[in-house]
Amino acid sequence: MFIRVFAVLVAGFLCLTGQTGQTGPTGPTDQTGQTSPTQGTSEQDADVWLPPAVNVHPRRRTPKPGWDLLTRQLYCYSYPSSPPLQSILNPWGEQAPIFTGPIGDLPRRILAACDVYRYQEVHFDGYLGSEDDGQHLFVAADGKNIAWFGDNEAKTYRTALQSLTDTLDERCWICVDLPIFALNLAGFPIRQAMMAHFLEAPDMYTKGGFAENVPLDALFFRRVENLRTYLRHKQFYSEDRITTGQFLDPDYRPPKPFRPGDIVLMGHYKDFDGKGPLDVVKHSGIVESVDERGMPVQIYNMRTTGGLIDRYDGLITQWRINRGHKVYFHRFCDRYPIICHGRIVNPFEPNGPMPTTETVREFLDKNPPRAGLSSPVQGSSM
């Protein structure tokens, strides 16, 4: 196994010292004095450690006290942004290590990445009912002094000037960005893997005349259906179609048990678009924990409100205007039925150099897709 790194990282201070939290060879202890079984260091941690980025922003939010070594590492890989590294494969210029082989304990790494982004308080790039979500992904690493926020009450965007550029305030997502970014920060190059799969089977992505659905811009990696296509054909995938009633039935068991770190894809209840709630994937997240049935308990997910994590049966008291109708959702499961879930079980091992946008352009020059109508960003509506 070897690591491909986007840049040679330089030494920092905050992430290397004990000032950011106590750790030890077996990880931090909880309030009972017992060592957490999901935390701690390992030989793998030592293998993947790279010096973190320099703390260039004096107001940088430091790693959370009590984090284990792995989570601190991932935080330092993620922030601050490095604009020279920004691309559609790395929108925030993160300095994450990329594995092109097996990754030990990948679920733990994925959950640690989710915890990093939750601590960063990444906000939703839109507002309740917005139709143009997700337009400001790249402001987090553009070297400019401005942040964009969706205003749920005014139904518009507002901007804020800052004294520093590319701060955590500028980090905003639509829903599918969470699993994509978390997988990448954990070390699995999901964008390159999806790009490679497109080169193997472009018709799976451009079917129905959707010729614009090619990995030449960030939108390709921000469509929930594209993530589903990749998982279905290259990783573990389970078609679940679990209704709220089934989830609340204590005797119900899923077709395939969920595990922490799984990618879960969901539909919408009460959308007046002619589609059933289990027909189209519109929301996504990462399973944080499961119950004795193998059903999700908590899910990391990005929506217009919330703290980047929800209990699946937890209260949200959310409402939306759908085609003139004001619709209320009391619980998370009242809005989001589970359609399917996937799990990264196969390493990404490219046949030759890592795919790039230039690789895709050369391929499309020789194999142009059929022209068709474009499609909106799937999964951006909360």
Side-chain angles (χ1 to χ4, degrees), residues 38-70:
T38 60
Q39 296 187 345
T41 60
S42 67
E43 293 181 2
Q44 176 102 19
D45 289 335
D47 290 342
V48 304
W49 169 252
L50 295 173
V54 169
N55 177 22
V56 295
H57 297 324
R59 290 193 302 178
R60 173 188 177 184
R61 194 171 182 179
T62 59
K64 184 177 180 179
W67 268 348
D68 65 342
L69 174 61
L70 171 63

Side-chain angles (χ1 to χ4, degrees), residues 7-17 49-56 60 76 80 95:
V8 177
L9 307 181
V10 293
F13 175 73
L14 288 174
C15 294
L16 290 175
T17 67
W49 169 252
L50 295 173
V54 169
N55 177 22
V56 295
R60 173 188 177 184
C76 295
Q95 303 183 79

Side-chain angles (χ1 to χ4, degrees), residues 18 97 201 231 281:
L231 293 171
V281 289

Side-chain angles (χ1 to χ4, degrees), residues 111 259-262 286-290 297-300 309:
L111 295 180
R259 297 179 186 176
D262 284 353
I286 298 289
V287 177
E288 188 270 343
S289 55
V290 299
V297 174
Q298 292 203 116
I299 297 176
Y300 287 105
I309 193 169

Side-chain angles (χ1 to χ4, degrees), residues 97-117:
I98 297 300
F99 294 80
T100 54
I103 307 175
D105 204 6
L106 180 59
R108 182 171 76 101
R109 300 180 65 84
I110 293 171
L111 295 180
C114 290
D115 203 24
V116 164
Y117 291 126

Side-chain angles (χ1 to χ4, degrees), residues 270 317-320 326-330 334:
K270 299 183 181 179
T317 314
Q318 180 177 313
W319 62 269
R320 288 182 60 83
K326 195 169 188 178
V327 183
Y328 290 89
F329 305 98
H330 185 56
D334 294 331

Side-chain angles (χ1 to χ4, degrees), residues 202-211 213 225 229 232-233 370:
D203 290 346
M204 291 183 181
Y205 295 90
T206 59
K207 60 186 178 182
F210 190 9
N213 191 31
E225 189 62 44
T229 297
R232 187 199 300 269
H233 294 282
R370 291 185 301 151

Side-chain angles (χ1 to χ4, degrees), residues 30-41:
D30 60 20
Q31 295 180 355
T32 65
Q34 299 297 314
T35 301
S36 170
T38 60
Q39 296 187 345
T41 60

